[in-house]
Amino acid sequence: MMKILNRFLETVLAILVALMVVGCFWQVITRFLLHNPSKYTEELLRYMLIWLTMLGVPYAYGKESHLSINLITRTFKPKNLTRTKIGIEFLVLFISVFVMIAGGVMVTLNSAGQISPAMELPMQVYYICVPISGVLMVLYCLQRLITFTKELKEEK
């Protein structure tokens, strides 16, 4: 299941990066060569960057490629390190559920009726990426909690 999710996110992220390169290239052409900048590309690039970030964070987290500072935990014994990892996962789970999912849903619902200035898209398209990212974080967090719990049982 997680391999399928990883592959899907990899594909979506790659497409977003490619579209951003094309959009940026088009903006440069219209601005400097045609002297008539496109009014849509700047907003489109902004939205794609936000979606890229909000989908990239859970992907990196699930692949354990996120930034981690292990200055203190390097000195922990394996049992204490696993317990610390489990505690961190519960903290991430809490933040993902209450801030990203619940807060993201509230912000998305509050943006009903608003439209973006240039592309005239509903602002919900912009905000819905936060709860989606939260759901993905919960999925990866639960997988990691299961893994760390098994490690803790093996250490006993």
Side-chain angles (χ1 to χ4, degrees):
M1 158 92 176
M2 296 314 275
K3 287 183 181 181
I4 295 169
L5 181 59
N6 284 342
R7 189 68 186 142
F8 175 75
L9 283 175
E10 286 171 2
T11 304
V12 170
L13 292 170
I15 289 169
L16 281 171
V17 169
L19 289 174
M20 287 180 69
V21 169
V22 170
C24 191
F25 186 68
W26 178 250
Q27 180 68 13
V28 169
I29 288 173
T30 59
R31 181 171 298 207
F32 295 110
L33 295 179
L34 302 177
H35 302 289
N36 185 14
S38 171
K39 64 180 182 176
Y40 302 108
T41 49
E42 184 179 339
E43 187 173 294
L44 180 65
L45 288 168
R46 185 179 316 124
Y47 286 166
M48 285 194 289
L49 179 62
I50 290 166
W51 272 89
L52 180 74
T53 303
M54 295 309 289
L55 294 177
V57 167
Y59 175 74
Y61 180 72
K63 298 284 268 184
E64 297 188 27
S65 299
H66 62 290
L67 177 67
S68 65
I69 301 171
N70 59 2
L71 183 66
I72 297 171
T73 58
R74 277 189 283 184
T75 61
F76 286 7
K77 294 178 182 175
K79 194 175 197 177
N80 291 336
L81 181 60
T82 305
R83 287 182 179 155
T84 303
K85 288 179 182 179
I86 290 171
I88 290 169
E89 293 304 319
F90 276 114
L91 181 63
V92 169
L93 186 63
F94 179 83
I95 291 170
S96 297
V97 169
F98 291 104
V99 176
M100 296 179 74
I101 296 174
V105 167
M106 287 184 350
V107 168
T108 302
L109 293 175
N110 285 339
S111 69
Q114 298 176 12
I115 57 169
S116 65
M119 297 182 356
E120 297 183 2
L121 286 173
M123 289 301 288
Q124 291 151 320
V125 172
Y126 168 70
Y127 290 118
I128 196 69
C129 64
V130 176
I132 290 172
S133 179
V135 168
L136 293 170
M137 287 293 289
V138 166
L139 291 175
Y140 282 116
C141 189
L142 291 174
Q143 177 210 11
R144 291 166 55 105
L145 271 171
I146 291 168
T147 303
F148 294 148
T149 304
K150 286 179 183 176
E151 284 180 15
L152 190 61
K153 286 180 182 177
E154 289 173 4
E155 290 172 2
K156 289 183 179 182

